[in-house]
Amino acid sequence: MAQADENPPAVGDGLVRGAHWGLLAFIAGFGAYHLMNLVLTAALTGRFTGFDDAEEMPDLGPLLLLAFVPNLMLGLAPVLAARRWGSFRELGVLPNLRDIKIGLACGGFALLAGYLANLLLLPVFGTDLESGNPLAGLAQGVGDNPLWLALAALIVVLVAPVTEEVLIRGALWAGLTAHRIPQWAVLALTAAVFAQLHGEPSRTLALFVQGLAIGAARLLSGRTGSSVVAHAANNLPPALLLLGAS
């Protein structure tokens, strides 16, 4: 295991009003994410109803990108907090070769674990699990232009893993570790947050076990970069399948 995990920082390091900056950044990023979702929901509610003909519908492609604005809020708070009270080295986002190897292995395991969990849940939730793919609903409204869907898929594979991992296994993980929370508890807590963040009740168990696998990359390497790679690897096959079917 990496040196950073073997020798966590002293509790007094990086404290802001008694709490590690990573915990404050997590609260700020998590809150900004949900606030932005509420703002967008309020702004767009009712804007795209009442169209009798699909040809009368406006191009919904830009909305696919707008839907990811809240996701950017997740990574903004940790970056600003690290710049003010910590350091970007603590986040360890840029993966090295070892991070890539560990991340790909854990990402593959996350895919397998999620698939098996969904199989177990299928008798309980039935066809509700079919909508579990975060890209499944994005194909509607793009019409014959797959460009917007391709851009959205790229965001899911490249951008979302960075912003989510910077918040959960960057800031939150660092904050919990600085306060001497056992690593197994940090792994479980961050996996639970990961599952809740996606807001898919029927897939909560699958997302939790995937979160454990992605978090294992962070645990083994001691760096967020490996969990970014694992997260991206986990998101890649569903994105490719959707693009192939579009």
Side-chain angles (χ1 to χ4, degrees):
M1 192 174 296
Q3 187 71 19
D5 283 336
E6 293 175 355
N7 298 297
V11 177
D13 293 346
L15 290 187
V16 181
R17 297 186 181 276
H20 188 269
W21 67 265
L23 297 180
L24 300 179
F26 168 75
I27 294 172
F30 198 73
Y33 169 81
H34 287 289
L35 178 61
M36 184 60 68
N37 271 323
L38 289 175
V39 170
L40 290 178
T41 299
L44 298 177
T45 297
R47 293 292 183 90
F48 302 98
T49 58
F51 294 96
D52 297 327
D53 192 337
E55 295 182 356
E56 298 178 0
M57 285 284 290
D59 184 8
L60 300 183
L63 290 181
L64 298 180
L65 303 185
L66 187 62
F68 289 102
V69 171
N71 200 278
L72 296 178
M73 298 295 101
L74 297 175
L76 181 61
V79 169
L80 294 178
R83 183 175 181 180
R84 175 65 177 84
W85 295 296
S87 70
F88 289 107
R89 292 185 62 185
E90 285 187 75
L91 295 177
V93 177
L94 187 63
N96 55 35
L97 181 59
R98 182 169 180 267
D99 292 337
I100 293 174
K101 292 179 179 179
I102 294 175
L104 289 176
C106 291
F109 186 77
L111 279 169
L112 177 61
Y115 177 75
L116 293 177
N118 281 327
L119 283 181
L120 293 175
L121 293 173
L122 192 59
V124 179
F125 294 102
T127 56
D128 287 346
L129 285 174
E130 295 178 2
S131 61
N133 186 338
L135 293 180
L138 296 181
Q140 300 178 0
V142 298
D144 297 327
N145 185 0
L147 175 61
W148 293 115
L149 187 58
L151 289 175
L154 286 176
I155 292 175
V156 167
V157 174
L158 299 178
V159 179
V162 173
T163 58
E164 293 177 18
E165 294 306 314
V166 164
L167 181 78
I168 298 174
R169 295 174 188 94
L172 179 58
W173 191 295
L176 294 173
T177 299
H179 286 280
R180 306 295 187 180
I181 304 299
Q183 290 292 280
W184 65 265
V186 175
L187 177 63
L189 286 170
T190 52
V193 171
F194 175 80
Q196 190 281 333
L197 182 66
H198 288 77
E200 301 173 57
S202 63
R203 297 185 64 242
T204 297
L205 178 60
L207 288 165
F208 177 74
V209 296
Q210 287 180 308
L212 290 176
I214 295 172
R218 172 67 172 84
L219 185 65
L220 292 171
S221 68
R223 291 170 44 82
T224 311
S226 61
S227 63
V228 170
V229 174
H231 195 155
N234 179 72
N235 286 8
L236 179 60
L240 292 178
L241 287 174
L242 183 64
L243 290 176
S246 63

